[in-house]
Structures are given as C-alpha cells and as structure tokens.
Amino acid sequence: MNAGRKYWLLGGLYISQYLGVAFFNVALTAILRDRGVGLAKIATVQSIGLVWILKFLWAPAIDHFGGRRHGHYRSWLLVLQPLMTVALLVALPLDAVNDLGILMLVVAAVGLLSATQDIATDALAVKVLSPGERGVGNGVQIAGGYLGNIIGGGLVLIVYDHFGWQWAICTLAAATATPFSQILRFREPPAAHAPVERAVRFAAIVSLFRQPGMAVWGFVVLPLAWAGIGGVYALMAPMLVDAGWGLSDVAVAVSVVGGASGIAGAFLAGGTIRRFGRRRTLLTLLIVQIPVILTLLPVALGVSLAWVAVITIVLLQLIYAATLTLIYAVAMDYSRHWSPGTDFTVMSCFASLIGLLAGAGFLAAAGSFGYPLMIGAGAVLAATGAGAVALWFTERTPHTRIGTTEPALATKEIR
C-alpha cells in the first residue's frame, strides 16, 4: 500500500471520528442556546465529552483483542464505523430541547464509539506508517481533526439552520459512514510480533508521573497553560448567539473560518517548536494568549461589529491550536520508548480533561457571573501560566527512539 493511500485512509478515519463529537460540542451548544436553554444545562453537554478522557482505560483491550482474519485493528474499525453511524441516526426523531435527556445518552454513545475508534486509528497509523511517513501522517491527523470539526460543528449547523434537525442528522450520519468503503478495501498487514502486555500495567502509568519534571509539567504548567484558553474557547458559540448572531453565521465564523486558522496554527507551531524549542515557544504563546483572549471582551459586551469578532475568532483558534500542538510535543518527549502508546494516551487524555473541565466550568460560571468576568479569568490564567513556565518549566530530553532495547529499565518501571 503506497503512502498516498495510507494518508487518504487515515485522513478519512480521523475526519469521521470527530464529526459527531464536533456537532454535539459546538453545533448543539449553539442550537440549545438559540432555543433559550440556560448555560448551566448546556455545560452538561460539554461534560459528556469526559468519555473521551477515559479512553486510556480500555486502550489496552484494543491492543490485546482483535480479529486475525480481517486484521487486528481493521476488525475494530469494521464494527465501530457502522455503529457510530447508527448511534447518530438514533437522534433522528429526537428534539434537541424536549428530549435532551435521551439525547445526552446518544451523545455519550457517540463519544464512546468515536474515542474507541481513535484508539484503533492511532494504533493502525503507528503500524502502517514507516518512520519516514509519520511526519506527514501527524499532519494528516491534525488536519483530519480540524476538518471533522469544520464539517460537524460548522457545515452541519448550517444545514440545521436552513433545513432542520432531521436533515442535519442525516448529513452527519452520511458523512460519518463515508470511510467505510475504504476500510472494506484496506488489507491490514500482519503484525511483526505478538502484542507486548508489559506496557499496559497500571504501574507503568504511575511511573510515568515519576519522571523528573513531569509533576511540575502535568499538575502546574499544563493546567495553567491550557485551562484559560480552553475555558474561553467553550464560550465562543453561546456568546455569539447571545450577541444576536444567526446559527449559520456562528457556524461559518467558529467552525469553518476558525477551523482553517486552527490548521494553520498547528503547522505554524510545529515549525516554531523545531526552531526555537518548547520552553521559548510556550512562553511566547502564553504571553500572546493574554491580549488575544481579551479581544473577546467587545463581543461579550454586545458590540456587534462582525469583522472584530471574526478577527478575534481567527486569532483565538490559531493560538488554541498552536498551544495544543506544543502540549502534544511535550507529551511525546515524556513518552518512554517501551510504552509510547500508553504514555501518550494518558497525557493527551489528561490535557483533554483539563480542557473539558475548564469549558464546562467557564460555561456554568458565565451563567452566574457573565462573560466578561470569565474572559478576564482566562487572561489571568494565561498570565499565571507564563510565570510558571518562566520559573519552573525546563525542556525534557526526548526518550530514545522506539525500538531501542532497554529491558532492565523497562522491567523496573512497569512491575
């Protein structure tokens, strides 16, 4: 299988697994606010996304169990892809407000299925991409996630605004099912060796946080660097609705235009990190976060200049994606070569947990204290994070490449 076909397959899978999640996190938030639902109740939609945070708990099962006849990870995808489509179609007869309780069960099911597919897709990417192909493959992963957000959170919201709920759900389900034909044609290569079970033990996860500098990064720098912009990010869609924007306008600004700037921010951050290093790049990003977050204040105060809001959204999405790219780079640095999948999954889930809790918390607090105060809180968190980076963050020397043997150390850390 040539590299181009691999990228097309992985790109389709990454896009499809984000469609439903993006629709419920972005589009549904705007729909509920447009129909008068309170911010505290909308925050529950964000908290349902916690199912993505827990995927490290069943990731070892995806590695351990799998069909030999159809390919280890392909056998998972052959089941997960149609199940995601069916789960979305369950929402077809529901009303977003009157059936919100049942809809939350659908949201949870879609989140569980998409998170499980993400595990299988990541594992498949590691398996089929050669070392020389992984750089482009990582770009495909980032772009696929943002394109999934653009389609699910933006274009499908436009469909809803013009044609209604049923058309939106059908569009979402059809787009989600698209990569299934690629999976059917794909033939997964056999594994080079039997699965290694040592890296999935709980002690391996615990020892991850015992590495030098990991406690400061994970429990001080990372929350401060991510919670502020993550919380403010969740305010964008309902804030624009409250400012009088139509749902189609929100979709175009937040998901389409903002998503495109996010893709640019991710690739820009990759080059900047390579040239200036992690510490300098992170410090710069956090300092830039402060004025960018504060540019949302006119929108929060009801100023209806569309061009001001769009520029703000573009800048916020760009910095948001760049910060996330750097967080993933540091996560790779702390990933040990004998358990890279477990380590990276744990750290990416932890970052996602911080973002989701911040988003839900900012939404709930905005209902009581207003948007301007929460925007100010986001800027304060970014400033505090910059101080933490300047005082305590040191760059981690990445572990040696995967495949290097270090059995004595590996055995000591995981048992």
Side-chain angles (χ1 to χ4, degrees):
M1 187 178 189
N2 61 44
R5 291 183 63 188
K6 296 176 188 178
Y7 298 147
W8 277 111
L9 171 65
L10 294 173
L13 291 171
Y14 281 122
I15 292 170
S16 69
Q17 70 194 30
Y18 280 99
L19 291 171
V21 175
F23 178 76
F24 292 127
N25 281 347
V26 179
L28 183 59
T29 297
I31 292 169
L32 293 175
R33 190 57 176 168
D34 183 62
R35 294 184 58 181
V37 177
L39 291 175
K41 186 172 288 188
I42 293 176
T44 63
V45 179
Q46 298 283 326
S47 63
I48 291 293
L50 289 173
V51 68
W52 259 69
I53 310 305
L54 301 176
K55 65 182 179 179
F56 71 91
L57 295 176
W58 64 90
I62 306 302
D63 282 327
H64 186 72
F65 299 102
R68 293 184 178 180
R69 179 180 177 184
H70 300 292
H72 186 97
Y73 298 111
R74 178 174 177 264
S75 62
W76 281 100
L77 297 172
L78 286 169
V79 175
L80 292 166
Q81 196 72 36
L83 279 180
M84 277 199 300
T85 305
V86 171
L88 289 167
L89 290 174
V90 171
L92 199 59
L94 302 179
D95 180 84
V97 175
N98 297 328
D99 301 315
L100 186 57
I102 301 175
L103 185 58
M104 288 302 97
L105 296 178
V106 175
V107 174
V110 171
L112 176 64
L113 292 168
S114 62
T116 306
Q117 178 173 304
D118 184 57
I119 299 168
T121 304
D122 286 341
L124 186 65
V126 173
K127 184 177 182 179
V128 303
L129 294 176
S130 68
E133 295 169 342
R134 289 176 183 169
V136 176
N138 187 53
V140 170
Q141 178 186 21
I142 296 171
Y146 269 101
L147 284 173
N149 278 279
I150 289 172
I151 297 169
L155 299 181
V156 178
L157 181 57
I158 295 173
V159 172
Y160 167 84
D161 195 30
H162 286 82
F163 303 105
W165 177 262
Q166 283 74 26
W167 276 98
I169 295 298
C170 287
T171 303
L172 193 65
T176 300
T178 300
F180 190 65
S181 62
Q182 293 177 281
I183 301 171
L184 289 174
R185 295 192 302 269
F186 171 67
R187 292 296 177 264
E188 181 180 342
H193 51 75
V196 179
E197 297 186 16
R198 63 183 185 183
V200 304
R201 298 184 182 181
F202 183 72
I205 299 176
V206 174
S207 64
L208 167 66
F209 290 91
R210 293 176 179 167
Q211 296 181 85
M214 181 60 184
V216 172
W217 165 254
F219 301 113
V220 179
V221 178
L222 175 58
L224 290 172
W226 193 230
I229 196 166
V232 170
Y233 182 88
L235 299 178
M236 283 195 299
M239 189 187 307
L240 291 173
V241 171
D242 287 353
W245 285 45
L247 293 181
S248 293
D249 296 330
V250 173
V252 171
V254 176
S255 295
V256 180
V257 177
S261 65
I263 294 173
F267 285 112
L268 177 64
T272 305
I273 292 167
R274 184 170 57 251
R275 181 173 181 180
F276 297 106
R278 283 116 170 97
R279 185 177 185 274
R280 188 173 175 183
T281 301
L282 180 56
L283 185 60
T284 301
L285 284 171
L286 286 167
I287 292 172
V288 173
Q289 274 188 27
I290 301 169
V292 169
I293 290 173
L294 291 176
T295 56
L296 279 172
L297 279 174
V299 181
L301 295 171
V303 176
S304 58
L305 293 175
W307 64 271
V308 174
V310 170
I311 291 175
T312 297
I313 291 167
V314 167
L315 292 174
L316 189 68
Q317 288 271 29
L318 191 147
I319 298 300
Y320 179 93
T323 305
L324 182 59
T325 302
L326 187 138
I327 288 171
Y328 279 3
V330 175
M332 288 185 181
D333 292 344
Y334 277 104
S335 295
R336 300 159 297 182
H337 64 264
W338 57 88
S339 56
T342 299
D343 293 351
F344 187 80
T345 298
V346 169
M347 286 185 281
S348 63
C349 287
F350 188 57
S352 297
L353 174 63
I354 293 170
L356 282 171
L357 290 178
F362 271 53
L363 278 169
S368 300
F369 304 108
Y371 293 124
L373 184 61
M374 300 316 301
I375 290 171
V380 170
L381 282 171
T384 308
V389 170
L391 291 173
W392 299 309
F393 179 65
T394 55
E395 294 194 28
R396 171 71 169 172
T397 301
H399 287 275
T400 54
R401 64 180 177 85
I402 298 173
T404 304
T405 56
E406 196 172 332
L409 181 57
T411 302
K412 179 179 178 181
E413 292 229 16
I414 62 178
R415 292 187 174 181

